[in-house]
Amino acid sequence: MIATAAMIAVCAVGLSLMLTLYRLLKGPDAPDRVLALDTLAINAIALIVLFGVLFATTMYFEVALLFAMVGFVTTVAFCKFLLRGNVIE
């Protein structure tokens, strides 16, 4: 029962990843691409958590937490670069 629900959720998140990847490649300007990259990171985190549920292991949850932290720092760095032109002052 849980495996079936997890597989359906994996398919839905995979579709979301494909649509977000399209927005990342065809975005009209840089802020849209940064937003798509952040959404791509969130979808990847969801996929990692779903694999953790599917395989019944806690290792995937730790990886998802690390990926979330790196994704947040990357999004902040991209936004700061777009606003100010540099990342480190």
Side-chain angles (χ1 to χ4, degrees):
M1 187 74 164
I2 294 290
T4 305
M7 286 306 296
I8 292 170
V10 165
C11 291
V13 172
L15 178 65
S16 177
L17 277 168
M18 293 298 161
L19 293 172
T20 304
L21 187 61
Y22 174 77
R23 175 51 60 194
L24 180 67
L25 296 175
K26 300 290 182 181
D29 53 356
D32 286 334
R33 289 190 172 123
V34 170
L35 184 61
L37 187 65
D38 186 44
T39 307
L40 195 67
I42 291 170
N43 288 337
I45 292 165
L47 197 61
I48 292 169
V49 169
L50 283 171
F51 280 134
V53 169
L54 190 62
F55 297 133
T57 181
T58 59
M59 181 182 66
Y60 289 101
F61 300 116
E62 294 171 8
V63 171
L65 182 62
L66 291 173
F67 198 71
M69 288 188 291
V70 170
F72 173 74
V73 170
T74 303
T75 302
V76 169
F78 275 138
C79 290
K80 190 172 180 182
F81 177 74
L82 288 175
L83 288 176
R84 297 184 183 167
N86 61 357
V87 177
I88 301 172
E89 296 174 354

